[in-house]
Each structure stands twice: as C-alpha cells, then as structure tokens.
Amino acid sequence: MQQLIQSQRDFFNTNATKSIAFRKQQLQKLYKVIKANEQFLMDEIYKDFKKSEFDTFTTELALVYSDIKEAIKKVGKWSRHKRKRTNLTNLPGKSYIIPEPLGVSLVIGAWNYPYQLSFAPAVSAIVAGCTVVLKPSEIAPNSSAAIAKIINENFDPSYFKVVEGGIPETTALLNEKFDKIFFTGSTTVGRIVYQAAAKHLTPVTLELGGKSPAFITKTANLKMTAKRLIWAKFINAGQTCIAPDYLLVDESIKEEFLGLLVSEIKKSHFSIDNGNYVQIVNTQNTERLISMIDADKIYFGGKHNLEKRHIEPTILSDVLFEDKIMEEEIFGPILPIITYNNLQETIDIVKSMPKPLSCYIFTEENTTKNKIFNEISFGGGCVNDAVMHISNSHFGFGGVGESGMGSYHGEEGFKAFSHYKSILDKSNLFEANIKYYPHSEKKLSLIKRMMGL
Ligand code: NAD
C-alpha cells in the first residue's frame, strides 16, 4: 500500500494530472473502457445478485456515462480561475480563486450499486485532477473483481489503481496518508473512516445511509404516489441508500392508499426470473431482513426463501415508531406504514431521529411542503417523487449529520476533490500608506471610514 501511494504521490507531483487535456483524455479513456466491457460488467454483477441488464444500465452505467460526459464538457469551465470582488482596502488589485486538485485520493465504495458507487466518485476525482486508489466493496465480489480487472488492465497504477479487499485491506489503506478520502457506506463504518482521516487531517466526503421517510398527505395524488413509491422502494429489492425506508400516511387516506400500493406491486411483476427484481446480496442480510418482518403486521407479501436470497415485496401496516423495524435502516424490500393524525407530532418525532439522507413529500399543497422543508433537516429529496433527485447532476448529492457530509456528482464532485486557493493579486500602481508605521489617530479614523465601521 505504501509503495502504491508513494508512486501516486510521485506521479501527482509531476503535475501531469493538472493539465486539462490529460484529465479529458483519462475521462475519455474511462468511458471507452467501461463501454468496451459493458457486457462483461453486466455478466459479473448478475453473478452477485442477479441484477438485470436493464437495471444495470439504468441505475449504474447510465449515471456514470452521463457524469463522464458532463465532466469532459465542463472540466475547462470548472477549473478556471474565478473572479471575486476586491474590497476597498486592497485596491488597486484583483481577487480570484484557483481550484487545485487535492492530490492522492482514496475512494471506498459500497456494494449495493457497485459500479455507480465506485466509478462516479472516481470520475469526480479525475476531473478535479487527483490520482485515485479505488477500493470497491468485497460484499459484491464479482463486481469488485470486474472493476479491478478493467481498471488495472487499462490504467497506470501510479495514476488510477483498484485495490480489492475487505476490512483488513481497507484498514491498511486508512492507515496511510491520503489527501482526500471519499467513502460510501454505513454510518458505523463512516465513523471509522472519519477517525482514521482525522489522524492525517485528511478531508473527507462521507456518503452514508439512514432511515429516509416519505410523507403521504391527504392532498397527495394517491395513484401517482403509489406508482412512484413502489418503483423507488423495490428497485434493487430495496437495497438503495435513498429508498423510502418507511411511509408516514395520513390516517384519512390509509385504506385507499394501501390498496393502491398493493395493486402497483401486482402490476410490477417483481420476479428475479424476469429481471424485474434482484436477490438480497448475501445470506446474512437476508436473515437480517427476515428477522425484521413482524408476522402480525404483514399487510402484503412477507414470503421469503433464504436459500435463494429472496424476499417478496412486503408491506407492513399499523407500524409504530417504537417497533423493531424502526430501529435501523431497512435496506431491503420491506415497507412499513405508520399512520398519523397529527402532522406536527409526526414531524417532531422524525426530527428527534438521526438526520435522514432523503425525505419525500407527496402533497398538492405548498404550506405542508414548506413546513416539512423548514422543520426537518435531511440530505436531499423530492416532492411527489422519490429517489429521482439523484439523477439530476445539476445539484449535488449527499447527506447531513449522521447521513453524511459533503456532496458529489457534476460540479459538486469536482469541488469535493479540489481546494480553492484565494488569491489577492495586487497592482504596483500605488500604495496607500495608512496601514504602515508610525500609527496615528488620523490613519485609524481613515481605516474605520474605509471599512465602514
Ligand atoms: P459498509 O459500511 O459495510 O461498507 C462500505 C465499505 O467499507 C466497503 O468497501 C467495506 O469493505 C468497507 N468496510 C466495512 N467495514 C469496515 C471497517 N470496519 N473498516 C474499514 N472499512 C470497512 O456499507 P455497505 O453494506 O457496503 O453499504 C450499505 C450502507 O451504505 C447503507 O447504510 C447505505 O445506506 C449506505 N449507502 C450510502 C450511499 C450514499 O450515497 N449515501 C450509497 C449507497 C449505500
């Protein structure tokens, strides 16, 4: 590890990665390498949890391709010096900020979208001009090996290298000094990463998880809400960091809405055999999820097959905030429904929980929408939809509090791997003498006047 990181540091110090042409070239190369190996990547992820080609393209590769294309198009603009206003005290002069790459970066990925969560942060690192050590998750072993193969066969390790492994390898990497660590995973491991980074004062981006609520108010368009929520919850069999974890449903519309949810599940034909559904990633997670299903609260579904790592799309109704299923992020195809009569009380309970990664509000009414926005702190979200905000790279994606810090995609990703030097560029035309010794009352009052104080 030490040798690898030193070789990346040496390469970074040649300044090669600072050239815009180099960055574009590497991004184009990454695009071509992924494209040329698209079928291979699809075959390998299928071995991990039977993810279909449709889902692999739409939820993994499409986002990476569009991030790369945008990065190539915008790298010049993002890397330019940006003018800032100069304050009166510093005239005559110019002020600007210069983005510079942080240096040698470490990207640690999660398994649930193994390609997207490895390649997208790597794109941000490359466009910013960093070198990359990428450690995908060992929990999706075939996808991790596929990433390692296509990158390590095509890139110089002193610039971009994939290191495979689990806890021991990640711990060894975290002992080394990086200039940036970008981590996607659980809040528990996020804390370990943050502590390790603190030793070297390395800046971090932490993309973590949590329990993301969805509010379904009485003015919501229930049919559309059910359709969008069932897709958002059961895509990837619920193994999505921004999946609606649980629903908060106005009591007055509960019966009608639950009926619509069930009919949407039926219409969706979720089956691993037809490619509309995926397996749970491993036996341990399947067991964990099965233990969360309270048989007394099953409204729909609930059947499972441990050997096949399959759990039916499941709806639990009459759930209470005190129930076991509300203790941790579900990260699987179980959807608990909590009903409410009093929106304010419900908002207060959500506020007492860790800040979620996402929050979704289904309503036709601005007051309710604005009230929830104003009161609850969360990473990002949607009104009348769920999950889809991740597909808009015009804004950053990230959490807050226990759901993470920092954001990425598009220009936010560039910023995550950059430092902005603030430069005052002084003219030699003349120099006001007021700051120089000897001090005088007159100079002091002039300074106060100039500063408006
Ligand atoms: P995880 O935290 O178990 O693992 C993430 C990475 O950390 C893996 O590469 C793993 O090898 C490494 N790791 C695990 N234990 C470690 C340890 N003790 N020391 C050092 N490294 C360690 O998470 P996961 O199971 O892969 O992913 C699920 C979690 O990730 C969920 O909480 C989910 O919400 C979250 N997630 C967040 C986002 C996001 O963008 N915010 C995206 C996907 C997943």
Side-chain angles (χ1 to χ4, degrees):
M1 305 286 185
Q2 271 166 359
Q3 241 174 354
L4 168 68
I5 294 156
Q6 190 54 49
S7 77
Q8 291 214 349
R9 199 166 294 290
D10 292 343
F11 183 66
F12 182 75
N13 285 335
T14 65
N15 295 319
T17 67
K18 292 183 180 164
S19 130
I20 303 301
F22 176 86
R23 296 186 213 179
K24 279 189 184 169
Q25 200 184 39
Q26 299 306 316
L27 288 164
Q28 273 151 357
K29 183 168 159 183
L30 181 60
Y31 192 100
K32 279 192 194 145
V33 167
I34 299 175
K35 199 83 201 152
N37 289 285
E38 204 174 272
Q39 191 57 49
F40 170 63
L41 291 171
M42 290 188 168
D43 294 344
E44 295 310 296
I45 200 171
Y46 189 80
K47 291 180 192 163
D48 282 332
F49 51 119
K50 294 202 164 51
K51 188 159 179 165
S52 67
E53 294 192 3
F54 186 98
D55 279 354
T56 304
F57 187 82
T58 53
T59 70
E60 308 251 4
L61 302 180
L63 205 126
V64 175
Y65 288 141
S66 58
D67 271 10
I68 298 178
K69 279 179 133 175
E70 189 185 10
I72 293 170
K73 202 165 130 199
K74 304 270 180 65
V75 59
K77 183 174 171 217
W78 294 342
S79 318
R80 269 205 289 273
H81 297 191
K82 287 175 188 63
R83 288 293 288 267
K84 295 280 163 185
R85 284 179 60 181
T86 304
N87 57 338
L88 192 59
T89 321
N90 286 312
L91 290 174
K94 290 183 291 193
S95 298
Y96 44 89
I97 50 172
I98 307 176
E100 66 171 12
L102 284 169
V104 179
S105 72
L106 171 64
V107 172
I108 303 173
W111 58 264
N112 57 324
Y113 290 89
Y115 298 143
Q116 190 211 123
L117 299 173
S118 297
F119 291 133
V123 170
S124 296
I126 292 173
V127 70
C130 290
T131 68
V132 193
V133 176
L134 168 61
K135 210 297 291 175
S137 171
E138 76 286 9
I139 306 289
N142 296 289
S143 310
S144 170
I147 296 167
K149 182 172 160 53
I150 69 168
I151 297 301
N152 293 345
E153 279 179 359
N154 289 287
F155 286 85
D156 186 330
S158 61
Y159 173 58
F160 187 3
K161 169 81 177 171
V162 177
V163 174
E164 283 196 271
I167 298 177
E169 292 78 6
T170 319
T171 308
L173 282 168
L174 288 171
N175 280 332
E176 300 302 322
K177 180 177 161 50
F178 287 90
D179 302 303
K180 169 78 192 183
I181 299 176
F182 187 107
F183 172 79
T184 306
S186 60
T187 302
T188 309
V189 181
R191 287 198 171 90
I192 297 172
V193 171
Y194 201 12
Q195 272 171 359
K199 271 196 309 223
H200 301 289
L201 285 178
T202 300
V204 293
T205 298
L206 301 176
E207 297 285 344
L208 311 178
K211 288 184 88 62
S212 300
F215 286 86
I216 295 83
T217 71
K218 54 178 180 268
T219 63
N221 175 333
L222 296 187
K223 211 156 178 276
M224 188 72 88
T225 302
K227 189 179 177 71
R228 291 178 177 163
L229 273 175
I230 291 302
W231 177 85
K233 176 69 186 187
F234 296 109
I235 188 164
N236 225 34
Q239 301 166 112
T240 303
C241 57
I242 46 173
D245 187 273
Y246 61 100
L247 306 189
L248 297 164
V249 180
D250 189 295
E251 177 84 51
S252 63
I253 51 159
K254 179 189 160 192
E255 286 313 319
E256 184 187 356
F257 184 59
L258 281 173
L260 288 167
L261 287 177
V262 171
S263 79
E264 279 305 326
I265 293 179
K266 288 181 178 160
K267 267 196 250 168
S268 303
H269 301 291
F270 289 115
S271 154
I272 294 171
D273 298 330
N274 66 15
N276 290 343
Y277 206 46
V278 300
Q279 287 180 308
I280 306 304
V281 75
N282 56 23
T283 310
Q284 195 191 337
N285 264 303
T286 318
E287 283 170 341
R288 179 184 66 81
L289 287 163
I290 292 170
S291 79
M292 281 180 160
I293 301 174
D294 177 349
D296 293 341
K297 300 208 166 175
I298 296 174
Y299 183 85
F300 182 82
K303 291 201 203 76
H304 46 78
N305 182 326
L306 184 59
E307 203 189 323
K308 291 189 172 158
R309 301 186 341 243
H310 174 261
I311 298 177
E312 262 189 335
T314 297
I315 295 178
L316 304 181
S317 67
D318 301 316
V319 173
L320 305 172
F321 277 106
E322 301 78 57
D323 288 353
K324 183 167 176 266
I325 193 138
M326 293 304 293
E327 283 171 9
E328 61 175 82
E329 181 182 359
I330 299 168
F331 219 53
I334 309 167
L335 184 59
I337 314 284
I338 297 179
T339 47
Y340 68 83
N341 286 311
N342 184 324
L343 182 64
Q344 185 61 55
E345 275 174 16
T346 313
I347 290 174
D348 290 342
I349 297 172
V350 174
K351 279 163 75 176
S352 72
M353 295 162 73
K355 294 179 180 181
L357 183 56
S358 302
C359 181
Y360 305 115
I361 303 145
F362 292 83
T363 187
E364 291 290 323
E365 211 201 325
N366 284 338
T367 354
T368 313
K369 178 171 89 180
N370 292 333
K371 181 178 179 54
I372 292 171
F373 285 156
N374 190 38
E375 293 210 25
I376 300 176
S377 176
F378 57 91
C382 309
V383 176
N384 294 327
D385 208 344
V387 170
M388 289 308 291
H389 59 301
I390 195 174
S391 65
N392 183 355
S393 71
H394 298 297
F395 44 53
F397 173 83
V400 58
E402 284 173 74
S403 58
M405 64 179 71
S407 61
Y408 77 126
H409 291 300
E411 190 171 10
E412 293 307 310
F414 175 89
K415 288 182 190 165
F417 286 86
S418 299
H419 164 67
Y420 287 80
K421 285 172 179 151
S422 302
I423 305 294
L424 170 68
D425 191 332
K426 208 66 188 275
S427 154
N428 288 326
L429 217 56
F430 68 84
E431 177 71 334
N433 277 324
I434 54 170
K435 74 178 179 194
Y436 293 100
Y437 300 103
H439 293 160
S440 72
E441 278 303 316
K442 200 173 151 202
K443 284 181 179 174
L444 186 59
S445 76
L446 206 59
I447 287 170
K448 285 181 182 171
R449 249 191 295 153
M450 277 177 75
M451 295 180 74
L453 302 171

